[in-house]
Amino acid sequence: MGNILEIKNLSVKIPAHGGTVSAVRDVSLELKKGETLAIVGESGCGKSMLCKSIMKLLPERAVIESGQIIVNGTDITGLSDREMTKLRGQLFSYVFQDPLSALDPTMTIGRQIAESILIHQRNLGKEEILARINELLTLVGIKNPEERSRLHSYELSGGMRQRCVLAIVLASNPRILLADEPTTALDVTIQAQILDLLKDIQKKRNMSTVLVSHDMGVVARVADRVAIMYAGKIVETGTAEDIFYSPAHPYTQGLLKSLPINSRGKDVLETIPGMPPSLMRLPKGDAFACRNPKALPIDFIEEPPMFKISDSHFAASWTLDKRYKNSNLE
Amino acid sequence: MSKKIWYYLRKTAIFIAGVFILTLVVFFISRLAPIDPLQSYYGERVEKMSVEEKNIARDRLGLNEPVFTQYFKWLDNAFHGDFGISYKYKQDALELIGERIGNTLILGGIGFIIIFLGSLGLGLWCARRENSLFDRIVCKLGTILSCVPEFWLALVLILVFCVMLRILPSSGAYSVTAANESGLAALGDRIAHLILPLTVVVLEHLWYYAYIVRNKCLEEIRADYVLLGRAIGLTKRRVVYRHCLRNLMPSYLSIMAIAVPHILGGTYIVETVFSYPGIGSLAYESARFADYNMLMLLCVLTGIVVIFFNMLAQILNEHIDPRIRAEQTVSGRRTADFRQEPK
Amino acid sequence: MQDIIAGVRNLTHEFQLNKKLKIRAIDGLSLDIRRGEILGVVGESGSGKSTLARCMMNIYRPTEGEVFFKNIKCSDRAEYKKHAFELQTKRQIIFQDSASSLNPRMRVIDIIAEPFRINHIVPIRGSIENEARFQLKYTGLDEELLYKYPGELSGGQRQRVAIARALAMEPELLVADEPISAVDVSIQAQLVNLFKHLRNEHGFSIMFIAHDLAMVEFLCDRVAIMYRGRLVELAETKELFANPLHPYTKLLLSCIPIPDPRAERERKHPDFDETEFDTSGCLTEISEGHLLLCGGEKSNNKKGSLAIG
């Protein structure tokens, strides 16, 4: 299977008050056709910025410092906004955390879907558009599409809103779907439904998905591959099995250990001490070192490169270095 | 449907009651002012009049009766279309205003339309180019212009265009000679007389409202639906004009509804400087000389304008924003009714 | 019977949306919080969890029913006034979004000192500064944060400041309205440990409102499940998670995502056509300490309706 999306050494910086925020630091990723890649990280670790830089929807001040974004074999890094506008929607699309604010409160759901259809297919008749709207709403699991398409966003529940956002996004038939915490604002019961729906649609449409989340449970449910992000960097990538069953990076290990399900019967939860660093003032060396109780001296001096663990599993931690392993053996 | 009719009937009733209360308040307050209305009727002669003569004059004008009786008499006459005479001009007040209101409506009305559309356009334009050179220049320039006093701007314009360049007339609504000219020439003359006053009216208000639009639009641009619109392939321009505009319209319309009397009334100084025969000068005189009947009529007119435009704004807002509709009308639907999730 | 510190009886709270429209956020709810326990309250958004918290704290006036704290009936205005000092200091609340619940123009020390000033309390540890230092240290924060503004802190630190402020009054009851849902995963675990520590070492009674069931299972002693303003099930945590009886509870439990990809992929979510559950009927004690909303339309269960406590 080929790669539909490839990111090579991408760095994004945002000038701000009192310094520059290094939102994305030297990120390399690939997304295969039809797969779901989950990007996991804490708030402010740059995962949303990474998604927005793929779509080139970054805030105006943000600069792509270096790196390449290759979609379907073409490099889109240097494209102008006008050229990007043509690609957006058809090639990739974006789903947000908060479906209420993602919908225009003054327009009916139907009109918003129609707008999305009309961007890429100008010459559709009224009947055809109505049929397409119904088809899309049925696809995202909304019953009585005709009736529902006449409603406004404030008349719908959270889950319904997220379904409508999906319908709007799917109208232009994107090849890649970037879903930025699509279920965080929803209830658990509805979260499960939306996740199943996402998976189902992905199979039907043969889409590739990038799912951004902080919830390991959600990731376990839908992801084929997982990338763990910390302080703007990808610290570990691998298949879901690699990450969940044999995490290699101390941060990943800490994240999994701190889940309550892994502390059942114990009196306290395992925690990662400290707080994530500010992306404006990154420490020297490994950004995670100051929270890592088992940090090596070198962690505070030099950033670790990506070490290969298996064909699918990579992690950036000095503990994987041969020299460290050897010294351990001695 | 009948619900809707009821709704509008209720609104109209509130509207009428509003005007009624306004007349009541203005009537009594104006009576409290320490000015002698006879002064406006007799001018300087009033100083030579004896107390008896004054009393007779008061009787004749009905000013000696209790204030309540005066009010109900006025109200009764007003219902029959008689708003009394202006003390100063000794002419029927309605007629007097009728003669002049056209001029004010042309100046203020055209000014208002230009301000309404101009502010919207300029505001959106600036919002789309936030922090660009254009935006920054317009922001600075607009602030300076809003701070310049109207009369000073008017005088400078007169100095430049009438005294130095001699290309535009400096005063009046039309030339004395224009009366005998043909339709087209007369129209040209009217327009030439309008240019300077209109420029002053527009420049004084334009940026104030444009700035409101700009900031409101920037708020909207930060909303997620703009990002979603961009993500599905809309251009930024289209998102701003299709979605942001719709969302900022309700607050803009409400502000502009309040602005109508502000802009119409604001033409007063302009009218004075340019000796433009509008009702602005009438309003000023009526308040200064206790020209009660004139004052009352102007108040009623202003009240009608304010309340009418507020209602218009509200109805338009309900049309644009369904959330307001749901709040206002009885048929507001509960979100919870639609909570049912399909499989 | 265990010592009960606070609770509500037949509490109903309605929001008047406009002249014709009322929304019943809480519908005849009775609930007890025992001394020294962490009671978890779980439910979907809009089920009335936050309204319950606010009613407990006298932020909202209940439409019907009563709220009590120890022996004080605090929903009663006269009684509230009489015991205002005790009620205001011995009950404290922590909100979900500390970014908006802390005044951004106040320094951390002023935030912690404010309740002392309002209630004219002389801090036990001498000065307000000492007190604030102590509370910061206690909640695991660095003392140097004392003179910072909330905007300069991270989300986790801010939430700790909110907890420190609540603890400064040495309350007996802490109401925490989704205190961890706006916080990062790695910080969530730290806060949960802090809550557990408060309960274990200092005997705080805590009402912990959350939607993360996994955290609730770890932290809470008893769990109450709310649905559409009604209490549908209440039991000891172990009992509830092992033996859920109400269909809504079952649904909730089946939806907790497990961080185990193989198991999670194979797991089938139960089909549910309707999220409409029957909310009529009354609370019945099924087994000891396990309350369930049943009866309703289907059966006339006459096991004896029970007003708890």
Side-chain angles (χ1 to χ4, degrees):
Chain A
M1 266 202 282
N3 289 338
I4 189 157
L5 170 73
E6 254 179 87
I7 300 169
K8 284 183 187 160
N9 306 92
L10 183 74
S11 292
V12 175
K13 287 203 167 147
I14 309 169
H17 286 289
T20 320
V21 177
S22 319
V24 178
R25 299 189 296 145
D26 196 26
V27 164
S28 298
L29 272 181
E30 63 247 22
L31 178 70
K32 296 188 183 73
K33 261 184 197 140
E35 90 170 339
T36 303
L37 171 71
I39 300 177
V40 182
E42 296 177 79
S43 62
C45 75
K47 49 195 188 344
S48 290
M49 278 301 153
L50 179 61
C51 277
K52 284 179 186 164
S53 57
I54 296 171
M55 298 213 45
K56 296 268 218 79
L57 284 174
L58 288 166
E60 260 157 45
R61 282 169 295 133
V63 201
I64 295 183
E65 277 234 317
S66 58
Q68 278 180 307
I69 303 162
I70 299 161
V71 183
N72 248 349
T74 44
D75 186 353
I76 62 159
T77 328
L79 291 191
S80 69
D81 193 53
R82 180 173 295 202
E83 289 165 305
M84 282 305 293
T85 305
K86 280 181 202 149
L87 294 182
R88 284 185 206 127
Q90 281 182 312
L91 200 52
F92 30 51
S93 220
Y94 202 86
V95 177
F96 304 91
Q97 176 173 349
D98 182 5
L100 178 60
S101 60
L103 293 167
D104 185 342
T106 61
M107 268 192 199
T108 60
I109 300 303
R111 267 186 79 179
Q112 290 184 61
I113 300 173
E115 187 183 28
S116 179
I117 296 170
L118 285 170
I119 295 171
H120 302 286
Q121 293 164 284
R122 297 255 165 85
N123 39 12
L124 281 184
K126 202 179 170 192
E127 293 297 310
E128 284 170 285
I129 292 175
L130 284 179
R132 283 273 285 148
I133 292 175
N134 287 349
E135 180 197 323
L136 281 163
L137 285 175
T138 318
L139 176 73
V140 296
I142 292 180
K143 285 174 188 166
N144 311 329
E146 273 134 41
E147 195 186 302
R148 295 281 161 101
S149 67
R150 262 176 252 127
L151 296 180
H152 290 91
S153 58
Y154 72 98
E155 293 167 305
L156 300 166
S157 66
M160 291 289 266
R161 284 181 201 138
Q162 196 59 289
R163 284 169 201 268
C164 291
V165 171
L166 270 176
I168 291 172
V169 163
L170 293 172
S172 46
N173 210 358
R175 303 318 310 144
I176 306 170
L177 185 69
L178 303 162
D180 190 351
E181 307 254 4
T183 58
T184 309
L186 304 175
D187 291 320
V188 237
T189 50
I190 293 151
Q191 165 173 298
Q193 293 175 7
I194 297 282
L195 289 178
D196 288 356
L197 176 73
L198 265 175
K199 248 183 154 176
D200 187 44
I201 292 172
Q202 187 180 4
K203 230 180 259 163
K204 273 188 199 157
R205 294 268 177 121
N206 193 24
M207 271 189 323
S208 317
T209 311
V210 176
L211 176 90
V212 173
S213 182
H214 68 266
D215 188 330
M216 290 306 244
V218 169
V219 171
R221 181 154 191 89
V222 289
D224 299 313
R225 282 198 312 127
V226 181
I228 309 282
M229 207 166 170
Y230 186 78
K233 272 195 98 158
I234 301 282
V235 294
E236 186 166 4
T237 62
T239 61
E241 280 85 353
D242 289 336
I243 299 287
F244 280 93
Y245 301 136
S246 49
H249 196 276
Y251 176 63
T252 318
Q253 291 164 353
L255 265 188
L256 286 168
K257 267 190 210 150
S258 69
L259 293 171
I261 209 156
N262 293 332
S263 295
R264 253 191 203 152
K266 288 184 203 158
D267 202 41
V268 284
L269 284 177
E270 291 259 0
T271 58
I272 305 174
M275 317 256 168
S278 149
L279 289 174
M280 218 188 280
R281 286 176 296 275
L282 284 165
K284 202 180 168 205
D286 186 355
F288 185 65
C290 50
R291 297 179 72 185
N292 183 3
K294 286 180 221 152
L296 308 170
I298 190 166
D299 274 327
F300 295 96
I301 301 161
E302 204 181 327
E303 275 191 82
M306 273 288 187
F307 291 98
K308 185 173 171 180
I309 298 160
S310 70
D311 283 340
S312 59
H313 194 179
F314 298 84
S317 166
W318 283 116
T319 49
L320 299 167
D321 194 280
K322 266 183 212 144
R323 286 166 285 177
Y324 172 74
K325 280 184 186 159
N326 292 340
S327 67
N328 244 12
L329 288 175
E330 275 161 22
Chain B
M1 198 58 215
S2 68
K3 255 183 196 164
K4 214 160 199 179
I5 291 170
W6 265 115
Y7 176 62
Y8 286 120
L9 275 181
R10 223 180 59 217
K11 290 231 120 159
T12 322
I14 293 170
F15 169 60
I16 292 168
V19 175
F20 179 76
I21 292 170
L22 182 78
T23 61
L24 193 74
V25 172
V26 173
F27 197 89
F28 285 101
I29 288 180
S30 65
R31 287 327 187 250
L32 290 177
I35 322 164
D36 190 358
L38 289 183
Q39 203 161 17
S40 80
Y41 197 89
Y42 293 103
E44 286 182 2
R45 255 198 303 154
V46 85
E47 278 156 37
K48 293 175 197 148
M49 284 163 81
S50 66
V51 181
E52 265 165 46
E53 275 176 314
K54 279 187 186 172
N55 234 347
I56 294 165
R58 283 221 172 87
D59 260 345
R60 206 154 53 80
L61 294 175
L63 291 170
N64 274 342
E65 288 168 56
V67 186
F68 267 105
T69 327
Q70 285 185 41
Y71 178 70
F72 285 114
K73 266 196 181 156
W74 178 85
L75 203 64
D76 184 43
N77 288 337
F79 266 117
H80 295 97
D82 175 14
F83 287 92
I85 61 160
S86 156
Y87 294 163
K88 188 161 194 304
Y89 294 89
K90 282 102 183 160
Q91 231 186 64
D92 189 59
L94 197 61
E95 233 169 70
L96 198 63
I97 287 180
E99 276 170 25
R100 294 203 183 188
I101 200 165
N103 288 333
T104 295
L105 280 184
I106 288 174
L107 180 61
I110 296 178
F112 181 77
I113 292 168
I114 293 176
I115 291 167
F116 184 89
L117 297 175
S119 294
L120 204 56
L122 191 64
L124 292 178
W125 188 272
C126 284
R128 267 176 57 204
R129 292 163 182 72
E130 192 200 357
N131 282 333
S132 68
L133 190 65
F134 175 83
D135 178 43
R136 272 182 287 170
I137 289 174
V138 171
C139 280
K140 297 275 182 317
L141 210 64
T143 316
I144 293 169
L145 268 178
S146 308
C147 295
V148 170
E150 273 178 315
F151 68 90
W152 188 81
L153 185 67
L155 289 176
V156 168
L157 286 176
I158 289 177
L159 190 69
V160 173
F161 289 97
C162 313
V163 179
M164 287 160 72
L165 298 174
R166 292 175 180 279
I167 47 171
L168 289 170
S170 68
S171 65
Y174 33 79
S175 314
V176 193
T177 50
N180 356 336
E181 283 177 37
S182 66
L184 208 64
L187 187 71
D189 180 61
R190 266 328 268 269
I191 291 171
H193 278 90
L194 262 178
I195 290 176
L196 284 187
L198 205 54
T199 312
V200 176
V201 170
V202 169
L203 283 184
E204 278 300 320
H205 292 100
L206 184 69
W207 181 246
Y208 179 74
Y209 298 108
Y211 197 65
I212 293 174
V213 173
R214 175 183 175 270
N215 287 356
K216 184 78 188 140
C217 185
L218 284 180
E219 224 172 80
E220 293 295 331
I221 282 179
R222 311 254 185 280
D224 273 355
Y225 66 82
V226 173
L227 213 51
L228 183 72
R230 301 272 283 143
I232 58 171
L234 288 173
T235 57
K236 190 169 181 190
R237 205 186 132 111
R238 194 138 166 232
V239 178
V240 169
Y241 288 129
R242 244 183 100 82
H243 294 277
C244 295
L245 184 59
R246 273 180 81 97
N247 277 286
L248 66 84
M249 259 338 234
S251 39
Y252 185 58
L253 284 177
S254 309
I255 290 167
M256 286 322 270
I258 303 167
V260 173
H262 185 201
I263 291 170
L264 278 179
T267 57
Y268 161 64
I269 295 173
V270 180
E271 284 179 7
T272 315
V273 175
F274 289 98
S275 319
Y276 189 88
I279 56 171
S281 44
L282 275 185
Y284 173 72
E285 284 164 3
S286 66
R288 185 157 149 60
F289 298 111
D291 193 346
Y292 290 153
N293 288 333
M294 184 58 89
L295 191 65
M296 289 304 295
L297 183 55
L298 285 169
C299 277
V300 172
L301 282 180
T302 320
I304 290 175
V305 167
V306 172
I307 299 174
F308 172 76
F309 276 95
N310 270 319
M311 274 181 61
L312 186 70
Q314 203 174 358
I315 290 167
L316 285 175
N317 284 348
E318 278 162 29
H319 188 73
I320 296 168
D321 193 337
R323 283 170 299 180
I324 303 175
R325 200 156 53 213
E327 245 171 59
Q328 302 285 340
T329 52
V330 199
S331 61
R333 280 181 278 202
R334 251 184 79 173
T335 325
D337 296 343
F338 292 90
R339 291 196 59 105
Q340 215 167 314
E341 294 288 332
K343 199 166 86 176
Chain C
M1 213 62 201
Q2 264 168 293
D3 193 8
I4 286 162
I5 184 158
V8 294
R9 288 277 172 278
N10 296 321
L11 180 76
T12 298
H13 188 83
E14 283 171 345
F15 288 104
Q16 193 91 36
L17 288 193
N18 56 27
K19 266 180 212 156
K20 307 255 156 115
L21 210 60
K22 265 188 211 163
I23 282 185
R24 188 166 275 214
I26 299 182
D27 187 3
L29 188 129
S30 299
L31 192 68
D32 284 333
I33 300 168
R34 295 174 187 160
R35 193 177 283 280
E37 78 164 350
I38 303 180
L39 173 72
V41 178
V42 181
E44 60 182 355
S45 54
S47 62
K49 293 171 293 180
S50 291
T51 315
L52 174 66
R54 280 153 203 226
C55 284
M56 295 274 308
M57 294 299 297
N58 279 76
I59 297 172
Y60 292 159
R61 265 188 79 77
T63 316
E64 261 173 60
E66 62 179 75
V67 180
F68 64 90
F69 175 70
K70 297 207 254 183
N71 296 321
I72 310 160
K73 201 175 136 194
C74 32
S75 48
D76 185 272
R77 211 168 263 185
E79 210 160 324
Y80 179 82
K81 264 188 193 151
K82 212 165 107 196
H83 299 275
F85 179 76
E86 189 181 358
L87 290 174
Q88 279 162 14
T89 53
K90 294 301 166 199
R91 302 179 302 171
Q92 292 293 330
I93 187 165
I94 300 159
F95 293 102
Q96 172 178 5
D97 185 8
S98 51
S100 63
S101 67
L102 299 181
N103 185 343
R105 296 268 170 268
M106 280 167 87
R107 293 174 304 174
V108 169
I109 181 170
D110 300 323
I111 289 170
I112 297 177
E114 199 179 18
F116 288 100
R117 297 211 174 107
I118 292 171
N119 293 309
H120 308 290
I121 297 175
V122 181
I124 312 163
R125 287 165 196 90
S127 67
I128 281 174
E129 192 176 328
N130 283 345
E131 184 73 37
R133 262 178 221 286
F134 175 82
Q135 295 300 349
L136 280 193
K137 220 187 272 171
Y138 191 78
T139 45
L141 285 173
D142 223 20
E143 281 182 22
E144 62 188 56
L145 299 180
L146 213 53
Y147 295 100
K148 293 204 167 172
Y149 289 91
E152 298 170 75
L153 309 179
S154 71
Q157 287 174 322
R158 244 182 277 137
Q159 198 59 280
R160 277 171 204 260
V161 171
I163 296 173
R165 172 175 66 175
L167 294 185
M169 288 288 97
E170 315 220 318
E172 287 171 52
L173 173 69
L174 207 56
V175 174
D177 186 359
E178 307 229 15
I180 56 165
S181 43
V183 175
D184 279 327
V185 199
S186 68
I187 309 297
Q188 274 185 6
Q190 297 175 3
L191 288 179
V192 163
N193 281 345
L194 176 62
F195 279 115
K196 199 138 196 175
H197 175 79
L198 288 177
R199 200 276 315 263
N200 289 349
E201 306 299 320
H202 301 273
F204 277 99
S205 318
I206 302 172
M207 179 163 140
F208 185 82
I209 295 172
H211 60 253
D212 185 343
L213 279 158
M215 281 295 181
V216 168
E217 183 187 5
F218 178 78
L219 179 66
C220 300
D221 303 305
R222 287 194 306 155
V223 181
I225 309 282
M226 279 183 76
Y227 177 74
R228 300 274 167 97
R230 302 272 288 174
L231 184 66
V232 296
E233 196 163 359
L234 172 80
E236 303 268 326
T237 309
K238 264 186 200 150
E239 163 77 7
L240 187 95
F241 278 78
N243 184 22
L245 293 175
H246 197 275
Y248 180 65
T249 315
K250 284 182 190 161
L251 173 66
L252 267 184
L253 294 186
S254 71
C255 288
I256 311 175
I258 313 167
D260 178 346
R262 269 176 219 144
E264 190 58 42
R265 274 177 215 151
E266 276 158 30
R267 197 157 67 119
K268 268 268 173 214
H269 281 309
D271 278 348
F272 52 100
D273 277 62
E274 299 276 295
T275 34
E276 293 287 338
F277 294 104
D278 190 12
T279 54
S280 59
C282 48
L283 276 179
T284 314
E285 189 159 17
I286 298 291
S287 58
E288 206 198 323
H290 192 151
L291 299 170
L292 176 70
L293 185 75
C294 61
E297 291 150 10
K298 285 170 213 157
S299 61
N300 253 338
N301 203 334
K302 289 206 174 146
K303 259 184 186 171
S305 65
L306 182 108
I308 347 158

